[in-house]
Amino acid sequence: MSCVLPPVCVFCQHFLENNPDRECLAFEEIPSAIMDGKCDHIDPYPGDGGYRFQLIPSERETFLELNEVRREFELPEFRLPD
């Protein structure tokens, strides 16, 4: 059995859906460490141009549910910016 969890990016205000040139405002191509859930991009990341994860307010409940699933799989939770 396998489970694919969404990256933190889908909950970010800077994520650009359906843009053929850039995946988000910070990166043309989002680094694998962020896409793989190893980094929640709260802290600076090389090449991010100063953009960091900012939660889409309407996605807060789903974001918190994702963190519950991450806990169940013993994965680190994604943090929220202060």
Side-chain angles (χ1 to χ4, degrees), residues 5-79:
L5 298 175
V8 71
C9 306
V10 300
F11 301 98
C12 183
Q13 295 176 24
H14 305 302
F15 185 65
L16 302 172
E17 286 187 85
N18 304 316
N19 185 322
D21 299 323
R22 294 189 73 81
E23 292 185 343
C24 72
L25 294 177
F27 306 103
E28 273 185 48
E29 185 176 330
I30 299 168
S32 61
I34 297 171
M35 290 299 288
D36 294 344
K38 296 175 184 157
C39 173
D40 57 18
H41 199 210
I42 295 295
D43 300 317
Y45 195 93
D48 68 14
Y51 290 99
R52 309 287 186 297
F53 175 79
Q54 289 294 314
L55 181 66
I56 299 167
S58 63
E59 294 292 337
R60 184 176 182 85
E61 186 174 325
T62 306
F63 178 86
L64 295 174
E65 288 172 2
L66 172 62
N67 268 340
E68 287 178 26
V69 173
R70 290 181 66 83
R71 275 193 303 276
E72 288 175 19
F73 282 95
E74 298 181 359
L75 297 169
E77 293 181 44
F78 291 136
R79 299 172 295 159

